[in-house]
Amino acid sequence: MRFNLVNEVPILVAEVACGLPGCPPLETVVAFWTEDDRRHRFKLFKPAAAVELEDLPPSWMKNALVAVDEPGFECC
């Protein structure tokens, strides 16, 4: 709904523990793929059960959420 995805688009939501200094103990990672097989990813710095619609990025940020799989981007 937020990113105007078609029904068949896979969406992955995972709650992960973060052990880095300054990181919340649990964060939610969301990834989805668009029809051009581009992977989009973002993090929400709270447990999945606490995520609300207002926490999601606005739809106009969809292209900025493209995941870069190049060396040096492991942290994000």
Side-chain angles (χ1 to χ4, degrees):
M1 188 161 96
R2 172 66 55 111
F3 298 110
N4 297 318
L5 303 175
V6 295
N7 289 339
E8 295 79 25
V9 168
I11 300 172
L12 171 71
V13 178
E15 185 177 85
V16 296
C18 181
L20 298 174
C23 198
L26 290 175
E27 59 188 23
T28 303
V29 179
V30 178
F32 60 90
W33 288 257
T34 53
E35 54 278 345
D36 55 1
D37 208 29
R38 290 174 55 183
R39 183 169 50 111
H40 303 261
R41 178 178 57 200
F42 61 93
K43 291 182 180 182
L44 301 164
F45 300 109
K46 56 173 61 175
V51 173
E52 299 179 9
L53 184 60
E54 297 79 32
D55 296 323
L56 301 177
S59 62
W60 56 265
M61 286 189 68
K62 180 175 158 182
N63 290 333
L65 301 172
V66 173
V68 178
D69 291 327
E70 295 178 12
F73 290 95
E74 294 86 6
C75 72
C76 309

